[in-house]
Amino acid sequence: MQKTTPNNLDILRHSTSHVMAAAVLEMFPEAKFAIGPSIENGFYYDFDLPRTLIPEDLEILEEKMRDIIKANHPFERAEISFADALADFKKANQPYKVELIKDLEKSQETNKPINQLTIYKSGHFVDLCSGPHLDSTGEIPADAFKLTKISGAYWRGDEKNKMLQRIYGVAFESKNDLKEYLKMLEEAEKRDHRKLGKELDLFCFSDLVGPGLPLFTPKGTTLIDTLKKEVESICRKYGFEKVSAPSLAKPELFEISGHAKKFGDELFHVTSGKKHEFVLKPVQCPHQTQIYASKTRSYRDLPIRYMESDKQYRAEKTGEVGGLSRVYAITVEDGHSFCRVDQVKDEIKNMVNIIKDLYSSIGLWDNHWVSLSVRDYAHPEKYIGETSDWDTCEKMLQEISDEMNLEAKKCEGEAALYGPKLDFMFKDAIGKEIQIPTVQVDFATPKRFGLEYINEKGEKVPPVMVHRAILGSYERFLVLLIEHFAGAFPLWLSPVQVAILPVSEKFEKYAKDVETQFIASGIRAELHNQSESLGKRIREAEKQKIPYMLVVGEKEEADNSVAVRSRGDKNQEVIAVEKFIEKILGEIKEKK
Ligand SMILES: [Zn+2]
Ligand SMILES: [Zn+2]
């Protein structure tokens, strides 16, 4: 069988949506049809139906679809005048199609005129559609599609309009592709960070605090702090020093930086009864420019590298409920290098190496690709800075990609406000692509703030600013980590590294002693002495995905040992406490 290109898959998926609509027409002859495009992995169609659909309807519809596929109706294309189309769809009592035809007629007056509309007929179903479709319904593999979901959708996405019913489906070119996709979906659901975040007690939300404002529990905070320490220790090796700035600043700071214009109504304004007017910082860079500006700098002082992990605020559309992907307050690991032009290349290489170090330690580096994100050349007004600087930067990033074997792919229109960048995309355990780290060159911001240093000739010149985010925001990074590891974090990252379980109340004192020894050695230990059976506590610790469970009873107390169970392993091994502490400290250090 010939391999279908993505475009052919779109045609297959869209054609399947016609077949679904035909099946709906059979089930509800009075159904009114809205639109039915192809989407990622499948398709949907919106209907106005005499009753609310129930999940059982999907199976009936799937059966009817298989019959329509078997009947092998050709997709017959016909051209028709606006007047005829209007008359036909009015007669068929299809008000949504009538509205679409009227709109097309209107846009036809302003745009290039089309006198004819196309309609496609397959079996009894006729649709207003520009195509293309497969030649006939029989070309759709009958065992490679599935109707997946019913949901409400406003006509034209406008909540003032009528709520229609949307049926989603997925379609592939083979039964096996469908099977693999459904398996991946099931796995993704199991790994969903919202579900696991709750089960593992990592973060929560409160109506009183507000949506889009996650609260991190002790375990979630431990996870973030452990990551922070790791990132900071890697960055220190490359000469970064930590700074700290307040969460707000005068609006002027962000007007000069260009962020006020860029973020517009996404900025949070803070006022007080004492006539204060501040803006919550949407990014960290402008504050850091002012630390640089606090002293006279000489060419010999550069590069100056600052790093900071702090909250920043943007009123983004949140959409997602109970998750960390889009929130108002994000903790951003941000860093900048203020350097001379002749140092830029080395600074960027430094930052790429930091990214490589961190992502290697998490085991993600092997599965990545790099985007060389350049300007949208057709729309220079979207950016700040001088064209010659942009040209220099883009050329330099290309050279770095070549010299470091990054094989960066050029992506037009993906640059930042002030300069081109290297973006790193990673694939998690189930193949979901996530873009997190970024390195950006910026000639414009230092000039806007009048930053300078004294060069070898004694002249005042602006430095270059290189921005880097190693893990973007901690919130988004947590999503990646939770879903990638399905909550079973590596030992060094686990919020609880060992759980200590006394076999009965009698051994609680010994268990407590053991816990104290672990904590004193810097290991995150937790005593599980709830009044439940040992079996139940073991199952609970397993659900919490704690790397090591230490069971203690009479024998262990007698020889100062613990019975160790590793995560995912039912076997138990008795080891002396001291020896096990040594072993586990070694594993944490090696980031096993
Ligand atoms: Zn169509
Ligand atoms: Zn920055």
Side-chain angles (χ1 to χ4, degrees), residues 283-286 334-336 418 440 465-468:
V283 288
Q284 325 267 1
C285 342
D334 201 8
H336 299 94
Y418 40 70
Q440 312 174 358
M465 215 171 152
V466 187
H467 306 243
R468 62 118 188 91

Side-chain angles (χ1 to χ4, degrees), residues 14-15 17-18 36 75 120 127-133:
H14 174 65
S15 301
S17 88
H18 276 250
F75 281 98
Y120 277 85
D127 205 353
L128 171 77
C129 186
S130 56
H133 304 91

Side-chain angles (χ1 to χ4, degrees), residues 283-437:
V283 288
Q284 325 267 1
C285 342
H287 277 91
Q288 289 187 18
T289 64
Q290 298 312 294
I291 302 176
Y292 177 92
S294 64
K295 274 206 253 178
T296 306
R297 312 285 180 178
S298 125
Y299 68 97
R300 290 158 54 141
D301 300 331
L302 303 186
I304 289 173
R305 308 181 183 102
Y306 296 146
M307 63 173 162
E308 188 178 7
S309 291
D310 200 5
K311 289 256 188 320
Q312 61 187 41
Y313 304 84
R314 284 182 214 162
E316 282 194 71
K317 270 207 178 116
T318 56
E320 183 196 56
V321 178
L324 297 179
S325 302
R326 273 183 179 276
V327 288
Y328 294 140
I330 54 173
T331 320
V332 171
E333 189 293 308
D334 201 8
H336 299 94
S337 171
F338 299 88
C339 60
R340 306 190 303 256
V341 175
D342 63 292
Q343 294 170 323
V344 172
K345 216 164 159 178
D346 281 339
E347 288 306 292
I348 297 173
K349 284 184 172 178
N350 242 346
M351 294 175 184
V352 172
N353 280 326
I354 293 175
I355 293 167
K356 196 173 165 186
D357 283 3
L358 180 82
Y359 285 81
S360 299
S361 79
I362 298 166
L364 283 168
W365 183 255
D366 292 341
N367 214 343
H368 80 279
W369 69 275
V370 184
S371 158
L372 170 50
S373 306
V374 296
R375 283 162 289 178
D376 174 355
Y377 297 105
H379 293 280
E381 75 281 1
K382 290 201 287 197
Y383 310 94
I384 60 173
E386 285 148 40
T387 309
S388 60
D389 288 342
W390 276 86
D391 294 342
T392 312
C393 290
E394 288 179 4
K395 195 172 148 263
M396 194 187 307
L397 289 180
Q398 185 61 56
E399 283 167 18
I400 289 169
S401 165
D402 296 342
E403 287 162 27
M404 296 186 85
N405 285 324
L406 297 177
E407 292 171 35
K409 214 172 87 189
K410 210 167 198 168
C411 299
E412 270 185 44
E414 296 294 318
L417 170 70
Y418 40 70
K421 53 188 180 140
L422 291 174
D423 292 315
F424 294 74
M425 321 301 159
F426 295 91
K427 270 202 176 139
D428 73 3
I430 54 166
K432 198 159 85 177
E433 190 169 273
I434 303 177
Q435 182 231 311
I436 292 191

